Amino acid sequence: MMSILKRELKSYFLTPIGYIYMGFFLLVAGVFFTFGNLITRSSQYTGFLGGILFIYLFAVPLLTMRLFSEEKRQRTDQLLLTSPISIPEVVLGKFLAAFTVYLITLVITVMYALVVGIYGDLSFWETLGAYIGFIFLGASYIAVGVFVSAGTENQLTSALVSFFSLLMIWLIDPISNSLPVDLTAGIIFAALLVVALCGYIYLNTKNLYITAAVFLLGAIIIAASYFIDKVVFIGFMRKFFSWFSLNKRYENFSMGLLKVDSLVYYLSFTGLFLFLTVRLLEKQRWV
Amino acid sequence: MIEAKDLVKRYGPHTAVDHATFKIERGEIVGFLGPNGAGKTTTMNMLTGYLSCTEGTVTVDGMNILEHPLEVKKRIGYLPENPPLYPEMTVREYLQFAGEIKKVPKQELPKRIDEVMQTVGITDVAGRLVRNLSKGYKQRVGLAQAMIGKPDILILDEPTAGLDPKQILEIRQLIKDLGKSHTVILSSHILPEVSAVCKRVLIINQGKIVADDTPENLAKRLLGGSHLLLRIDGTPQQIESATRKVENVRNLSFKESQEPGTVEVVVESDKDKDIRRDVSKALGAAGLPILMMRSLDMTLEEIFLHLTTKEEEVAKV
């Protein structure tokens, strides 16, 4: 894993992409800071950090686009997959390389915090919280990008799909707020989820019995929860979608609140997408 | 050493490899021969664990590749058709990385890199970017990568594709040398290459193994008997009556001749019998001058075409 991490890191700075990422991020962050804080003489640093969140929407796809797609295009994945090294090691190595570049770039912006701290009032705890939040939030963003990259052979496709995926995650809050919250909608949605799950299982295993068993189990769970506690279904759809909303939990951090459940959430989100990446790469060997 | 049993690879309805079974012993140099799209690369990808097989098993030193993937991969060095190189690295950096992921111990790695660079002859380009190397050098770097983990088995997919004639000879010699200390499996659609390098040939067509033998035996097996081509000044009737009494002659078949007034005939004889002298004497006694005589031995090229174009005939053989 260390050798993958090292090679990936080197490659960020042997190819233009590391510089493009850092340059783009620091340029836009610099513009935000100049106009938001310096010229307006504002010490509202958390406002600046909220802006950074927006930059990541564009910058993280740049960071992750080539990780796997370029290996596939150059056929170097043949080297990785025929060497005595496991797929999880490869995925973790690449993820950590992207994460390292992300962290280095993030650390540079601490300079701005110092400027605000020296010449104005820096709300220390909120800033610290926001930075801790960035570390975890960034890991989740990068994990999404890594996953998308493993599914594509073209860097541009990879970047665009990652961008739209992150955009969807951004838009989940406004979308889920307008979703119906009543009981019927919740039940119908739960039923749809079960059907989708059954479809997925059937396509993968081609086994009718397992599919039927899962369907039955899903139906029983829905019926049981309906009779035990109907309230579960009220706003179920909204709850389901808001699980994917990365940014909502970030708000806690920028208010200086360090919540364990948010940390666990980000870590499990990251873990889930890295796991899916491993599965995807393994699956591609069977196709 | 390496054993494939009933290997099958399906891509949807298309079957790329169809129940391939073979066993390769330590120290053999084996060639996979077949036209493009025959399933050579797919077979190799399954042997190296890059692709999974739809059915069947691959075992290396008694270990199943699905159950012990890392152990098996340690024993195999693979050079795919396109060498898997990172263009932005130098040759030494690349081999360093390859050595690391092939689990070469850290202290030994610098020495090992020098060794393999020496073997494949790339020491003079060690500091150059892979991007700027010629095709021949890239191929050698790929070969160095395959060797660096000291594998027992080398699997080389079209190792000479796209090289110039001089480079081809060099790489072939290199493979022969490697064959002294490794088990080598290589694929090719060029026949002289396989007959020059390999002691055993597996001919693959449409995903099936249609022949498995030494190049010489393949030639013998297909020929059945020996054939002589003659051009004679005479008529078919005269020739037939003159050669009827010659021993070991089995069959005559007449062809159009380019020369007016002459006849071309293919004389088929029993296996391993030299009939040239007898035929010549008999025709001379009958007053029929022989203008040309040459033996028709099937080249590997012809066998290859034979095997891959007419499968029914192969079944008969």
Side-chain angles (χ1 to χ4, degrees):
Chain A
M1 189 204 78
M2 277 313 287
S3 32
I4 300 274
L5 169 61
K6 254 180 4 200
R7 198 206 73 76
E8 230 21 87
L9 259 185
K10 242 193 236 165
S11 149
Y12 268 120
F13 296 102
L14 286 173
T15 56
I17 195 68
Y19 302 100
I20 292 176
Y21 169 76
M22 288 182 108
F24 171 76
F25 177 79
L26 291 174
L27 175 75
V28 182
V31 169
F32 279 12
F33 185 67
T34 312
F35 288 98
N37 297 81
L38 291 184
I39 292 181
T40 54
R41 293 163 182 261
S42 155
S43 56
Q44 266 289 323
Y45 193 62
T46 43
F48 163 73
L49 291 174
I52 286 188
L53 201 59
F54 177 68
I55 309 173
Y56 280 135
L57 189 58
F58 300 92
V60 168
L62 285 179
L63 195 60
T64 57
M65 64 181 184
R66 51 169 278 288
L67 285 176
F68 282 99
S69 52
E70 189 67 3
E71 299 267 6
K72 279 190 212 158
R73 201 181 63 80
Q74 306 260 22
R75 309 244 170 190
T76 42
D77 59 330
Q78 290 194 317
L79 171 64
L80 299 181
L81 292 177
T82 59
S83 293
I85 180 170
S86 66
I87 295 180
E89 276 183 275
V90 176
V91 172
L92 203 60
K94 282 176 177 286
F95 166 77
L96 287 178
F99 192 52
T100 310
V101 176
Y102 170 88
L103 285 184
I104 294 171
T105 322
L106 185 64
V107 164
I108 296 175
T109 64
V110 172
M111 194 174 68
Y112 300 146
L114 291 180
V115 171
V116 175
I118 293 167
Y119 297 104
D121 291 324
L122 183 73
S123 41
F124 177 74
W125 293 109
E126 285 171 23
T127 308
L128 183 68
Y131 272 105
I132 293 174
F134 272 135
I135 294 173
F136 288 90
L137 184 69
S140 311
Y141 275 25
I142 291 168
V144 173
V146 168
F147 174 69
V148 170
S149 175
T152 52
E153 244 180 73
N154 179 306
Q155 292 194 34
L156 187 64
T157 319
S158 169
L160 284 175
V161 175
S162 307
F163 169 71
F164 285 117
S165 310
L166 292 177
L167 189 67
M168 282 316 291
I169 290 173
W170 264 64
L171 294 178
I172 276 173
D173 283 331
I175 291 173
S176 65
N177 281 339
S178 61
L179 289 173
V181 289
D182 56 296
L183 189 64
T184 0
I187 292 173
I188 291 172
F189 181 68
L192 282 179
L193 278 184
V194 171
V195 170
L197 181 68
C198 289
Y200 176 78
I201 290 173
Y202 181 69
L203 284 179
N204 275 283
T205 60
K206 305 268 179 222
N207 186 326
L208 261 178
Y209 297 108
I210 296 177
T211 315
V214 171
F215 183 77
L216 219 63
L217 191 72
I220 291 170
I221 291 173
I222 292 175
S225 359
Y226 179 78
F227 288 115
I228 295 165
D229 189 3
K230 284 179 194 165
V231 189
V232 180
F233 292 106
I234 294 175
F236 175 66
M237 216 193 297
R238 188 177 290 179
K239 275 183 245 163
F240 178 81
F241 281 111
S242 62
W243 192 84
F244 291 97
S245 171
L246 291 169
N247 295 356
K248 202 172 194 178
R249 284 179 179 73
Y250 170 76
E251 286 162 13
N252 291 328
F253 287 102
S254 64
M255 287 188 289
L257 295 171
L258 200 59
K259 283 181 143 185
V260 176
D261 64 335
S262 300
L263 293 184
V264 172
Y265 166 80
Y266 281 132
L267 287 178
S268 39
F269 189 94
T270 310
L272 173 70
F273 270 89
L274 292 183
F275 171 74
L276 288 177
T277 311
V278 173
R279 294 293 307 151
L280 182 64
L281 289 171
E282 263 164 16
K283 204 172 167 222
Q284 284 164 353
R285 298 176 50 219
W286 291 92
V287 175
Chain B
M1 172 110 240
I2 183 162
E3 191 176 359
K5 209 180 256 173
D6 282 325
L7 273 190
V8 177
K9 183 72 187 177
R10 289 198 194 91
Y11 294 108
H14 171 68
T15 308
V17 176
D18 194 358
H19 294 92
T21 302
F22 52 86
K23 197 171 177 182
I24 293 163
E25 299 298 336
R26 185 177 289 274
E28 276 190 292
I29 305 185
V30 179
F32 284 1
L33 191 61
N36 289 324
K40 298 179 303 257
T41 301
T42 311
T43 307
M44 290 190 150
N45 278 338
M46 286 192 287
L47 293 182
T48 53
Y50 177 63
L51 286 177
S52 307
C53 35
T54 318
E55 285 168 34
T57 51
V58 175
T59 43
V60 174
D61 285 346
M63 282 179 299
N64 188 316
I65 194 163
L66 288 177
E67 287 158 19
H68 307 277
L70 300 190
E71 278 301 307
V72 168
K73 284 173 187 177
K74 249 188 212 172
R75 288 169 163 73
I76 296 179
Y78 183 32
L79 172 62
E81 202 170 346
N82 302 296
L85 308 175
Y86 294 101
E88 74 270 15
M89 298 172 103
T90 65
V91 172
R92 184 175 279 281
E93 278 173 342
Y94 172 73
L95 290 177
Q96 170 86 26
F97 172 68
E100 279 172 19
I101 62 170
K102 304 222 184 249
K103 307 280 151 78
V104 179
K106 254 208 173 81
Q107 318 81 271
E108 288 174 28
L109 190 51
K111 214 181 110 222
R112 183 76 192 134
I113 292 175
D114 288 334
E115 264 171 38
V116 291
M117 286 202 298
Q118 192 82 46
T119 313
V120 301
I122 50 171
T123 313
D124 50 331
V125 294
R128 280 177 52 188
L129 285 182
V130 170
R131 179 200 309 281
N132 300 332
L133 296 180
S134 68
K135 181 88 174 79
Y137 270 115
K138 280 184 183 161
Q139 198 74 22
R140 284 157 191 244
V141 177
L143 204 52
Q145 163 274 124
M147 288 163 51
I148 199 156
K150 286 194 179 166
D152 297 327
I153 305 164
L154 283 176
I155 297 186
L156 316 171
D157 195 359
E158 308 249 349
T160 59
L163 302 183
D164 67 36
K166 184 166 167 280
Q167 292 169 328
I168 290 180
L169 289 180
E170 285 168 0
I171 294 273
R172 267 188 214 163
Q173 189 53 48
L174 191 57
I175 293 170
K176 269 192 197 167
D177 293 343
L178 288 173
K180 287 169 193 153
S181 48
H182 298 79
T183 305
V184 181
I185 304 173
L186 64 90
S187 78
S188 179
H189 56 266
I190 311 163
L191 298 142
E193 178 161 293
V194 171
S195 52
V197 178
C198 302
K199 296 184 185 100
R200 183 174 154 205
V201 182
L202 296 180
I203 297 184
I204 302 180
N205 189 41
Q206 295 176 343
K208 291 195 180 82
I209 294 184
V210 293
D212 174 358
D213 219 325
T214 62
E216 299 82 38
N217 277 351
L218 277 176
K220 264 191 211 155
R221 212 176 79 183
L222 266 157
L223 230 36
S226 305
H227 296 241
L228 271 184
L229 175 68
L230 296 160
R231 186 179 291 168
I232 298 158
D233 188 355
T235 63
Q237 290 79 14
Q238 288 172 314
I239 296 165
E240 210 159 338
S241 60
T243 53
R244 197 174 298 146
K245 290 152 224 153
V246 180
E247 246 181 290
N248 294 326
V249 170
R250 277 208 309 217
N251 197 13
L252 297 179
S253 45
F254 294 95
K255 294 203 285 187
E256 291 269 316
S257 173
Q258 294 160 336
E259 226 174 303
T262 65
V263 181
E264 271 188 18
V265 60
V266 177
V267 183
E268 201 183 319
S269 67
D270 292 335
K271 242 186 206 179
D272 302 327
K273 294 274 175 358
D274 194 351
I275 56 164
R276 285 174 301 176
R277 286 175 191 83
D278 294 343
V279 168
S280 172
K281 274 181 204 156
L283 287 170
L288 297 167
I290 300 172
L291 305 175
M292 181 193 81
M293 179 193 274
R294 104 180 137 87
S295 69
L296 279 182
D297 265 327
M298 251 185 172
T299 59
L300 200 52
E301 202 106 19
E302 286 167 309
I303 298 166
F304 176 59
L305 281 174
H306 210 78
L307 283 172
T308 52
T309 49
K310 295 181 197 159
E311 282 196 78
E312 325 80 75
E313 280 187 35
V314 177
K316 263 194 281 171
V317 174

